[in-house]
Amino acid sequence: DVKVTQSSRYLVKRTGEKVFLECVQDMDHENMFWYRQDPGLGLRLIYFSYDVKMKEKGDIPEGYSVSREKKERFSLILESASTNQTSMYLCASRLQGATGNTIYFGEGSWLTVV
Amino acid sequence: AQTVTQSQPEMSVQEAETVTLSCTYDTSESDYYLFWYKQPPSRQMILVIRQEAYKQQNATENRFSVNFQKAAKSFSLKISDSQLGDAAMYFCAYRALLASAQGGSEKLVFGKGTKLTVNP
C-alpha cells in the first residue's frame, strides 16, 4: 500500500520559533508537495519538489522554505512561525511521468502558533 | 490560471438516497484531468474518482459517478445509496501542468470543498 507519513500530527509552537514539518513517502515518487488547508479556502500549494534537491514555489510560499535532500523525505520549514501560519498542513507525493498519476496524501499536521 | 469552484459549502442527504455535489472549473487546456477527493474526519485525503477530459464516457466507481460536461466546464459528483461512511469533506480538483518544472510535473488545484452530512 502507498504510504505518505507526516511524523507530527499535532504541534503547538510559539511565535518566532523555527518549525520543521517532516514528510516521508515509501513509493519512490519523484514529486512531493506541501499544501496548506484552511476552512473556506480549500487546499493551497506552498511548495513542491519534482526531484531530489529540486524545489519550486507554489501559490503561497511566503514565510516558508523546504528541503529535499533525499528522495523519500520532503521537509517544510517555517523560519519564524507566526500566528497566521496556524493551519493544517498536508504533504503529498506523486510518481512523475504519465500525466494524471494519482497524488497521494499524508494524514496532515495540525500546527497551532501561539 | 486554472480555477475550481464548488458552490455548495454544505450538503446533506438521507441515508440510502442520492446526492449530487457540484463543481465547475476554468481552463484553457484541451486535455486535462479532474478528480474528486474525499476527506473524512480522520483527515486522510482519499481519491474517489478521476475523469480524463478526452474521454466522453463519464467515470464510475461503484456508488460514485460523475457528470462531466466539457463544454460547460462542469464536473459534478453523484453519490448513490448514500451511507453514513460517506460523510466527509469533498474536494473537486483539477490537474494543472507545472510548466516551470522539468519533466512536466503536475499539481492539483482544489476547490474550497463541500461538507457532506449523511442523516440516518
Side-chain angles (χ1 to χ4, degrees):
Chain A
D1 259 1
V2 165
K3 193 80 172 169
V4 178
T5 303
Q6 294 180 235
S7 53
S8 301
R9 294 295 311 276
Y10 302 95
L11 304 94
V12 179
K13 298 292 181 180
R14 294 193 179 278
T15 301
E17 276 193 77
K18 189 169 186 176
V19 181
F20 292 86
L21 298 180
E22 305 287 346
C23 175
V24 176
Q25 50 94 3
D26 64 357
M27 299 161 283
D28 204 35
H29 285 173
E30 292 87 357
N31 302 160
M32 296 188 75
F33 307 84
W34 275 106
Y35 283 88
R36 170 176 172 161
Q37 182 178 2
D38 299 287
L41 296 178
L43 281 75
R44 295 176 291 167
L45 182 65
I46 305 171
Y47 264 96
F48 72 95
S49 168
Y50 51 89
D51 212 333
V52 178
K53 296 190 186 294
M54 302 297 186
K55 59 185 178 184
E56 291 277 345
K57 293 180 180 179
D59 301 316
I60 52 164
E62 297 77 20
Y64 302 94
S65 62
V66 290
S67 172
R68 184 120 182 251
E69 295 298 316
K70 293 185 178 181
K71 193 174 187 180
E72 67 270 19
R73 187 179 298 270
F74 191 36
S75 303
L76 180 68
I77 303 159
L78 288 67
E79 294 289 343
S80 177
S82 63
T83 54
N84 63 12
Q85 292 178 310
T86 291
S87 187
M88 162 79 134
Y89 292 88
L90 285 167
C91 175
S93 75
R94 171 190 172 271
L95 184 68
Q96 185 155 307
T99 190
N101 279 350
T102 300
I103 293 180
Y104 296 92
F105 286 85
E107 293 183 316
S109 298
W110 276 106
L111 173 65
T112 301
V113 183
V114 297
Chain B
Q2 295 90 355
T3 57
V4 176
T5 302
Q6 293 179 249
S7 59
Q8 307 152 316
E10 296 188 24
M11 291 281 285
S12 63
V13 63
Q14 290 296 126
E15 197 175 3
E17 296 197 345
T18 296
V19 64
T20 299
L21 307 184
S22 301
C23 174
T24 59
Y25 59 94
D26 186 28
T27 183
S28 57
E29 293 182 323
S30 58
D31 191 19
Y32 47 87
Y33 288 77
L34 295 160
F35 304 83
W36 277 99
Y37 275 85
K38 171 185 176 180
Q39 188 182 45
S42 68
R43 290 286 171 174
Q44 182 85 54
M45 292 278 279
I46 304 164
L47 177 65
V48 175
I49 200 164
R50 168 170 56 194
Q51 175 76 43
E52 298 161 73
Y54 68 87
K55 288 188 176 179
Q56 293 186 343
Q57 187 173 5
N58 289 326
T60 299
E61 288 287 341
N62 301 313
R63 296 182 296 106
F64 298 87
S65 61
V66 299
N67 183 5
F68 174 50
Q69 302 288 328
K70 191 172 183 180
K73 295 181 180 175
S74 171
F75 182 61
S76 60
L77 175 70
K78 185 171 85 170
I79 307 173
S80 303
D81 186 24
S82 298
Q83 300 175 0
L84 294 177
D86 295 333
M89 283 290 289
Y90 285 82
F91 291 95
C92 179
Y94 173 98
R95 183 275 290 158
L97 276 174
L98 293 160
S100 61
Q102 296 176 4
S105 187
E106 306 173 350
K107 70 172 183 178
L108 290 177
V109 177
F110 287 88
K112 294 182 180 181
T114 297
K115 182 179 180 182
L116 178 66
T117 301
V118 180
N119 300 310

